[in-house]
Amino acid sequence: MGWNGMGWGAMGWGGWIMMILIVLTVWAVVAVAGIAIFRGLSARGGNASPPGDAGRLLDERFARGEIDSDEYTARREALRAAR
């Protein structure tokens, strides 16, 4: 009988539609939160360069003028010795 005759059958189409919208909204919020967390975690790891890119990064820093030719040469030799 439900609550004084107000069971599931008395809810009507509007109640069913509202319940479906609420469930879909909850799942959408869960999905968006999961995507945001995944992107946040992968963005943190995405900033680190793979080991093979060290030479390229060194070339870029030299081209931008961040390091002088002596430091560039020394670091380039250190990279070659490490391989």
Side-chain angles (χ1 to χ4, degrees), residues 15-31:
W16 284 103
I17 291 172
M18 184 62 74
M19 187 168 52
I20 289 170
L21 290 175
I22 290 171
V23 168
L24 290 175
T25 302
V26 167
W27 280 112
V29 168
V30 169

Side-chain angles (χ1 to χ4, degrees), residues 38-48:
F38 178 75
R39 285 187 179 172
L41 291 176
S42 62
R44 280 190 220 149
N47 291 338

Side-chain angles (χ1 to χ4, degrees), residues 28-81:
V29 168
V30 169
V32 168
I35 291 170
I37 290 171
F38 178 75
R39 285 187 179 172
L41 291 176
S42 62
R44 280 190 220 149
N47 291 338
S49 298
D53 287 344
R56 183 184 57 81
L57 291 174
L58 183 62
D59 293 341
E60 289 175 3
R61 288 188 64 201
F62 181 65
R64 286 191 300 258
E66 293 177 6
I67 57 175
D68 62 359
S69 61
D70 294 333
E71 185 175 357
Y72 174 78
T73 305
R75 289 182 183 220
R76 175 63 72 184
E77 291 302 319
L79 284 174
R80 287 186 184 145

